[in-house]
Amino acid sequence: MTVLIIAEHDNQSLKPSTLAVIAAAEQLALPIEVLVAGYQCQAVVEKVRSLKAVHCVIVADHEAYRDQLSENLALLLQFLSPGYSHILAAASTFGKDLLPRLAGLLQVSMASDIVEIIDPNTFIRPIYAGNALATVCLQDAVRLITVRSSAFNVALSVKEELAERRVCDAVYVLEKTKLIQRQETKSARPELGQAKVVISGGRGLQNKENFALIEQLADKLNAAVGASRAAVDAGFVPNDYQVGQTGKIVAPDLYIAIGISGAIQHLAGMKDSRVIVAINKDAEAPIFQIADYGLVGDLFKIIPELLTKLP
Amino acid sequence: MKVLVALKRVVDPYVKIRVRADGSGVETSNVKMGTNPFDEIAIEEAVRLKEQGLVSSTTVVAIGHVASLENLRAALALGIDTALFVPCDEMLQPLAVARILQQLVARESAQLVIMGKQAIDDDNNQTGQMLAALLSWPQCTFASEVKIVEEGASVEVTREIDGGFEVILASLPAVITTDLRLNTPRYASLPNIMRAKQKPLATVTLEELAVNIQTGFKVLSIAAPKARKAGVMVDSVDDLLDKLKNEAKVIG
Ligand SMILES: Cc1cc2nc3c(=O)[nH]c(=O)nc-3n(C[C@H](O)[C@H](O)[C@H](O)COP(=O)(O)OP(=O)(O)OC[C@H]3O[C@@H](n4cnc5c(N)ncnc54)[C@H](O)[C@@H]3O)c2cc1C
Ligand SMILES: Nc1ncnc2c1ncn2[C@@H]1O[C@H](COP(=O)(O)O)[C@@H](O)[C@H]1O
């Protein structure tokens, strides 16, 4: 029984979510191998090889894998899959796109977005926007799983001696899809999924200009910025800021929700944060039901006051 | 070009669900149900493509409880041409749904499948990708913009990804899964609701389709999550900062 983890990267650096997947896989107590498929992605390979938990890195370096398109990667993984008992990826948009496609090719079921490992066949995953937890069992020969990174955020140790490196020359191309453009939001702030502090704004901010208040507060606290769906739909911020059932799931030490009512779908994305603060002018807003600290008032008065009182 | 749209009947997104005390599942009797919101977006997109003359016909399919007929009628009232119902009272896993849809794609000679990125009950986010794999078609998941290009030979799709967005070009036939910002679904007008009663709605049985719906996925139990312990209200910014610093110790 061996675990295969799919590294997520941009050919230059490894995405932190992959570290969480490796941390989760360690709980399976099985040998861990990691696939780095990409193009000229040596830096990623070396990084993965330095991780203590990793036994072997499989390198598939070819232009066909440069853009990380699922059509090609799924075929490569289908080829590699015999011999593995588990294939894991992060429950990121990358993993969510790729792993079910692989499951289709292999004609096996899979478990999405697991938050707990009970034993090598049994996992816990949230359903109904996290309002219920399902304990599920995978009975196929190979168990396909995407992992909720925020549930397995632990530091991994590195080692002196690099892990074994195995080259895979197989090239698979399904010539039906082409990447035209990829536009990634650039920000000097910490990544939403990794930040210790997240400040999110909602419809209460009223417009894009006012949303700058959230950003100023984030800069004071070295925080990442998030948003409700309403704020994204209204164009205050880009789509990748959305926290919730259908956006990003975060669990920072401190989550501050400002001008957000606390709909079920928003709570799904942040209710496992360690400390939750809610600021809202409506004392009846549902967000207060899950907040550790609630402050009722006008955000246009409260944020400026916070800005002056924070160091 | 024929379009197939998938529709799942689910608990209304704004209902606060209740987990059954015996761990057997979520209470769904006497609960407000509706069409999965992402499927409403899929329906709207198919109707718009038809209105723009980019596709020749649209078919919606639901697999599940007989109550889904209500949702299929609603889709017809929104402008979908024909509906298919596959009765099944068992809880189906995405792989089984994908296998059924694969058969229907062949029967209907569909060239484009539009479905939701996820069903908001089980939150699986798998079926579209599995179907694309079974068909060996390209997949355009998490779509926020869809353009039929190259005289109907390809589709250009903007996808919402973790880092921002990307645009891909996929040759048709293809599977598209919808994200929230693809469109805003319309409401059905009364005349269209009346007209929908005349539109074709056929039933296809699992026996006719001869699909294996068994999968290696078992749900062992369903539990309610741990409740958070009650918090406190603070009455000033100073009070809040003091609590964060000295009680929660989350700021310096
Ligand atoms: C299928 C589906 C998926 C969804 N997925 C997500 C998701 O992933 N993430 C998500 O967030 N939502 C999601 N939603 C939407 C969700 O249901 C809510 O509509 C949304 O979260 C509301 O955003 P909001 O709280 O910013 O807006 P509102 O609900 O309008 O709340 C605005 C709040 O701001 C407060 N406010 C206004 N002015 C001020 C002021 N001056 N000072 C202080 N407070 C003020 C108001 O009291 C109010 O509570 C989804 C919905 C569906 C149907
Ligand atoms: N029983 C079903 N009948 C029809 N379509 C379904 C069914 N289950 C899932 N789907 C489709 O697959 C999409 C994704 O569902 P899921 O993979 O379960 O999250 C849904 O938005 C529907 O379009």
Side-chain angles (χ1 to χ4, degrees):
Chain A
M1 306 241 293
T2 305
V3 183
L4 180 65
I5 291 171
I6 304 156
E8 184 172 348
H9 61 88
D10 56 5
N11 293 315
Q12 270 134 45
S13 54
L14 184 71
K15 294 263 152 71
S17 55
T18 304
L19 301 177
V21 181
I22 296 172
E26 282 199 279
Q27 293 184 16
L28 294 168
L30 297 168
I32 296 174
E33 303 191 352
V34 177
L35 169 68
V36 179
Y39 184 52
Q40 302 183 333
C41 49
Q42 293 84 344
V44 181
V45 173
E46 296 313 298
K47 165 76 191 180
V48 178
R49 289 179 73 199
S50 74
L51 299 170
K52 201 167 168 198
V54 175
H55 291 76
C56 175
V57 179
I58 298 155
V59 184
D61 197 313
H62 192 276
E63 264 187 283
Y65 309 127
R66 183 190 54 211
D67 298 331
Q68 306 287 310
L69 294 175
S70 288
E71 283 80 353
N72 298 351
L73 293 179
L75 289 169
L76 173 66
L77 281 157
Q78 182 183 22
F79 164 77
L80 290 171
S81 65
Y84 291 105
S85 57
H86 297 74
I87 301 181
L88 273 62
S92 55
T93 48
F94 168 75
K96 286 177 185 167
D97 187 54
L98 174 58
L99 232 57
R101 186 170 181 103
L102 174 63
L105 294 180
L106 298 175
Q107 296 260 2
V108 299
S109 279
M110 64 166 286
S112 295
D113 218 7
I114 65 154
V115 294
E116 216 179 302
I117 295 173
I118 307 288
D119 65 44
N121 304 318
T122 317
F123 311 93
I124 296 185
R125 58 176 304 267
I127 55 174
Y128 286 91
N131 289 304
L133 294 171
T135 303
V136 304
C137 178
L138 292 178
Q139 299 170 325
D140 293 298
V142 51
R143 298 146 193 89
L144 266 50
I145 296 159
T146 56
V147 174
R148 179 174 292 191
S149 307
S150 63
F152 297 93
N153 241 335
V154 296
L156 291 180
S157 32
V158 293
K159 58 186 167 194
E160 303 263 294
E161 200 187 323
L162 295 182
E164 183 198 341
R165 175 175 182 279
R166 221 159 56 216
V167 173
C168 168
D169 285 326
V171 176
Y172 286 95
V173 195
L174 185 79
E175 286 189 335
K176 293 180 176 173
T177 318
K178 203 163 72 190
L179 179 71
I180 309 273
Q181 185 199 355
R182 185 172 286 155
Q183 186 89 41
E184 313 236 30
T185 309
K186 295 229 168 14
S187 168
R189 294 190 196 93
E191 206 188 298
L192 199 45
Q194 305 304 316
K196 295 243 175 293
V197 181
V198 173
I199 321 263
S200 287
R203 202 194 313 261
L205 271 298
Q206 290 172 1
N207 57 43
K208 193 175 173 149
E209 290 66 42
N210 290 340
F211 206 91
L213 285 168
I214 299 286
E215 282 157 7
Q216 288 164 26
L217 198 53
D219 289 339
K220 283 257 181 185
L221 292 167
N222 188 29
V225 175
S228 69
R229 173 188 172 184
V232 175
D233 285 1
F236 303 174
V237 287
N239 61 271
D240 51 296
Y241 283 46
Q242 183 176 314
V243 170
Q245 180 188 18
T246 57
K248 290 203 175 106
I249 313 280
V250 300
D253 288 341
L254 174 61
Y255 186 92
I256 308 185
I258 306 181
I260 292 179
S261 61
I264 293 171
Q265 294 84 8
H266 188 79
L267 304 187
M270 43 65 79
K271 69 184 168 64
D272 292 325
S273 305
R274 189 159 77 76
V275 175
I276 297 174
V277 172
I279 299 172
N280 196 303
K281 69 175 182 190
D282 173 11
E284 303 296 314
I287 189 83
F288 288 123
Q289 289 165 19
I290 63 144
D292 297 286
Y293 303 108
L295 179 55
V296 178
D298 182 357
L299 68 90
F300 295 107
K301 295 209 183 74
I302 292 170
I303 302 181
E305 190 180 341
L306 278 167
L307 287 172
T308 49
K309 289 184 173 162
L310 279 167
Chain B
M1 172 163 59
K2 287 189 170 183
V3 181
L4 192 70
V5 179
L7 179 165
K8 186 178 188 189
R9 181 179 166 88
V10 297
V11 172
D12 180 273
Y14 301 105
V15 166
K16 178 101 181 77
I17 58 110
R18 215 168 45 78
V19 175
R20 288 195 207 110
D22 64 0
S24 64
V26 166
E27 194 53 70
T28 52
S29 47
N30 296 319
V31 170
K32 187 174 173 210
M33 305 287 284
T35 298
N36 182 39
F38 290 99
D39 300 344
E40 292 180 326
I41 295 171
I43 290 164
E44 176 66 29
E45 198 62 21
V47 171
R48 288 186 191 185
L49 291 175
K50 172 82 191 274
E51 285 171 347
Q52 291 160 16
L54 294 165
V55 304
S56 56
S57 73
T58 55
T59 300
V60 59
V61 51
I63 306 152
H65 190 265
V66 60
S68 311
L69 287 169
E70 182 194 331
N71 305 78
L72 290 174
R73 283 280 174 223
L76 294 173
L78 290 166
I80 297 285
D81 300 323
T82 62
L84 289 173
F85 173 53
V86 182
C88 178
D89 287 333
E90 249 179 84
M91 268 264 287
L92 289 176
Q93 289 307 315
L95 183 61
V97 174
R99 285 176 179 150
I100 294 167
L101 293 174
Q102 181 190 14
Q103 294 307 314
L104 292 173
V105 163
R107 272 173 73 120
E108 300 293 311
S109 321
Q111 291 288 100
L112 179 62
V113 179
I114 311 181
M115 47 207 290
K117 79 164 178 181
Q118 93 195 51
I120 59 155
D121 48 5
D122 286 338
D123 285 333
N124 277 316
N125 198 329
Q126 299 175 2
T127 310
Q129 297 87 312
M130 285 177 171
L131 175 64
L134 294 179
L135 292 164
S136 204
W137 287 6
Q139 65 191 40
C140 314
T141 51
F142 324 144
S144 63
E145 201 183 333
V146 169
K147 280 193 258 175
I148 307 270
V149 295
E150 296 171 352
E151 271 130 46
S154 306
V155 61
E156 193 182 288
V157 175
T158 306
R159 307 181 53 230
E160 292 199 358
I161 56 169
D162 285 339
F165 69 89
E166 70 181 27
V167 182
I168 58 170
L169 182 71
S171 62
L172 287 167
V175 174
I176 295 174
T177 76
T178 61
D179 217 319
L180 292 170
R181 280 163 283 276
L182 179 57
N183 60 47
T184 308
R186 70 191 69 187
Y187 292 96
S189 67
L190 197 57
N192 284 344
I193 294 172
M194 300 312 291
R195 232 171 276 146
K197 298 206 164 100
Q198 314 304 324
K199 288 189 177 178
L201 195 165
T203 296
V204 186
T205 63
L206 285 176
E207 291 71 38
E208 279 173 71
L209 293 173
V211 189
N212 171 15
I213 57 166
Q214 299 312 314
T215 67
F217 186 100
K218 292 279 165 303
V219 177
L220 302 179
S221 63
I222 310 275
K226 272 205 299 287
R228 278 186 84 92
K229 81 171 174 30
V232 295
M233 298 305 279
V234 295
D235 41 40
S236 67
V237 166
D238 290 324
D239 195 6
L240 176 64
L241 289 175
D242 173 65
K243 290 274 196 319
L244 292 180
K245 217 175 279 177
N246 302 316
E247 194 176 87
K249 300 190 170 38
V250 279
I251 61 172

